[in-house]
Amino acid sequence: IRENDMLNSIGNYISRVDCNIEIPRSQPCLCSRKVLTMGFIVGDRCDTIFAAAEPILDQQEISSEFCRSLFSSYGYQLFGIGIFHSDPHPGNVFLTKSGACALLDFGQMKVLRDEIQLLFARMIIALKGDSAECVKLMKQIGLKLDKTTTDIEMIIAYLLFDTRMDIREAKISPLSSELPQELRVVSLSEIDSDIFMIIRIVSMFRGILTSQGVDVHARSIWYSFALAVLYRNGEYYFHSSHVDLSQKANVLREQMKDLSKWMRSHDLPHNRDALLPFAVAGIFTTSELRRVILSEKTCNLPAIFRNFSESDMERCLLVVGNM
């Protein structure tokens, strides 16, 4: 796939699903095999805009919301289309004048293999449930670690695949003398190339979080995206020894079935393809749908109803509004 095609695939997808994320358009007449020319986006680098001389009172909340938008954009890329921008350093992540998160410089992109996408989705769900299933999954995705224990491998899973900053090891440099001895002896004997690129973007996200002094967990944001991928592939729940996680997944499965029955009872689209965008948006019940419809973020409704006809969407909005 050529770079300008991948860029436009990402841009077309995200423009339909989230109005708070901006992706530049390629300029095909100015592109070649060696040059990718993109449209101009006005904004400021995220590492400078949040480092203003006069701090804003709610700056931390603004920074957190910005990072949530950034991580959401990667949820769409990693789990929605399987193509992602792989160089999100602060110079390539902008805050626009409208407050949107914008990604620039798509010179480095990665196509994620289907099997790795599914394994990574299972990893995110395991991380969200603090499940030791992470250890098994690291081996399945081609990450072979030597001289470790289950507890150490759990910490490594959070460090490599999540952005949580509320664990001690997340704030220690690998080269620091403060790094625990049990982590010092760990060696990496094998890693899949796709997984390496995912680890790379997560490490860059950590740098952005550190510079802004906020703690936003990617696994929490990516959870609904990961569930949607498994739902799309017929995996309705995640097999795990972690009881609470398995129960939660089963609850969501039953809720989605009930939502499908409700849609069918009102002669609305109710198959898996129609409801997949609802799962991505974290909508599994009619009450959650009503909350979204009545919220101020109605600009995202076309994305949620993108597999509905316009008349079906309007009829659904009317029915839910009268509940």
Side-chain angles (χ1 to χ4, degrees):
I1 305 176
R2 293 184 60 179
E3 284 80 1
N4 62 313
D5 293 329
M6 290 195 288
L7 167 59
N8 289 336
S9 294
I10 294 173
N12 290 338
Y13 186 91
I14 291 183
S15 66
R16 297 197 306 268
V17 296
D18 201 317
C19 60
N20 294 316
I21 302 167
E22 290 190 23
I23 304 295
R25 301 288 301 179
S26 73
Q27 307 298 311
C29 61
L30 299 175
C31 293
S32 70
R33 293 182 63 85
K34 295 184 178 181
V35 176
L36 176 62
T37 306
M38 295 166 281
F40 186 75
I41 290 182
V42 179
D44 296 282
R45 291 170 51 127
C46 67
D47 59 340
T48 59
I49 192 66
F50 295 115
E54 297 182 8
I56 307 170
L57 290 177
D58 55 351
Q59 181 172 318
Q60 191 168 47
E61 178 55 34
I62 294 174
S63 297
S64 295
E65 184 61 33
F66 177 82
C67 289
R68 284 191 285 269
S69 292
L70 172 62
F71 297 167
S72 291
S73 76
Y74 274 82
Y76 296 122
Q77 294 174 64
L78 290 163
F79 300 111
I81 57 177
I83 304 173
F84 62 97
H85 179 292
S86 58
D87 195 25
H89 63 73
N92 287 341
V93 182
F94 271 42
L95 177 69
T96 70
K97 294 189 181 299
S98 65
C101 171
L103 293 174
L104 307 180
D105 190 0
F106 281 72
Q108 292 186 42
M109 286 179 279
K110 178 68 176 174
V111 178
L112 196 62
R113 304 197 311 276
D114 291 344
E115 62 269 24
I116 296 298
Q117 184 186 62
L118 281 171
L119 285 169
F120 185 49
R122 297 184 193 116
M123 173 65 79
I124 291 301
I125 292 173
L127 287 171
K128 181 67 167 62
D130 297 316
S131 169
E133 188 75 13
C134 297
V135 176
K136 183 194 301 182
L137 286 167
M138 281 202 292
K139 294 180 174 65
Q140 291 179 8
I141 61 181
L143 196 66
K144 304 293 179 62
L145 298 169
D146 300 322
K147 301 178 182 179
T148 64
T149 64
T150 298
D151 290 342
I152 293 298
E153 288 188 334
M154 281 292 294
I155 292 174
I156 291 173
Y158 284 115
L159 294 177
L160 298 183
F161 300 110
D162 188 23
T163 57
R164 58 182 299 186
M165 302 296 290
D166 60 344
I167 53 178
R168 175 173 174 266
E169 292 80 4
K171 301 177 181 179
I172 302 176
S173 166
L175 303 178
S176 172
S177 59
E178 297 180 7
L179 188 70
Q181 180 62 27
E182 55 268 27
L183 286 178
R184 287 179 178 276
V185 298
V186 174
S187 62
L188 179 63
S189 58
E190 185 178 330
I191 187 171
D192 180 271
S193 60
D194 285 18
I195 291 300
F196 173 79
M197 296 307 291
I198 292 175
I199 292 172
R200 184 174 186 269
I201 63 171
V202 170
S203 67
M204 291 185 181
F205 293 159
R206 283 189 179 281
I208 292 174
L209 290 171
T210 299
S211 68
Q212 297 181 22
V214 294
D215 183 15
V216 180
H217 299 181
R219 76 186 192 281
S220 297
I221 296 171
W222 290 345
Y223 179 64
S224 61
F225 292 96
L227 277 178
V229 166
L230 299 184
Y231 180 77
R232 186 173 68 214
N233 285 274
E235 297 184 33
Y236 294 98
Y237 61 94
F238 185 71
H239 297 281
S240 170
S241 58
H242 192 286
V243 178
D244 292 339
L245 176 62
S246 182
Q247 289 179 345
K248 175 65 173 176
N250 278 319
V251 167
L252 292 177
R253 178 184 62 172
E254 294 305 316
Q255 287 178 341
M256 185 57 74
K257 283 184 177 180
D258 290 341
L259 180 60
S260 176
K261 290 178 182 177
W262 183 88
M263 291 286 184
R264 183 173 57 189
S265 70
H266 290 84
D267 196 25
L268 292 166
H270 57 275
N271 62 18
R272 183 182 300 170
D273 289 341
L275 297 182
L276 179 59
F278 289 74
V280 171
I283 298 172
F284 295 90
T285 65
T286 53
S287 60
E288 290 170 344
L289 179 58
R290 176 178 170 81
R291 174 180 52 77
V292 171
I293 290 174
L294 297 179
S295 72
E296 297 179 356
K297 295 185 177 181
T298 54
C299 60
N300 288 335
L301 288 180
I304 296 170
F305 287 94
R306 67 177 179 272
N307 292 332
F308 280 53
S309 67
E310 185 174 348
S311 60
D312 281 339
M313 183 184 83
E314 291 177 354
R315 193 153 51 86
C316 184
L317 296 179
L318 181 62
V319 172
V320 174
N322 290 330
M323 288 173 56

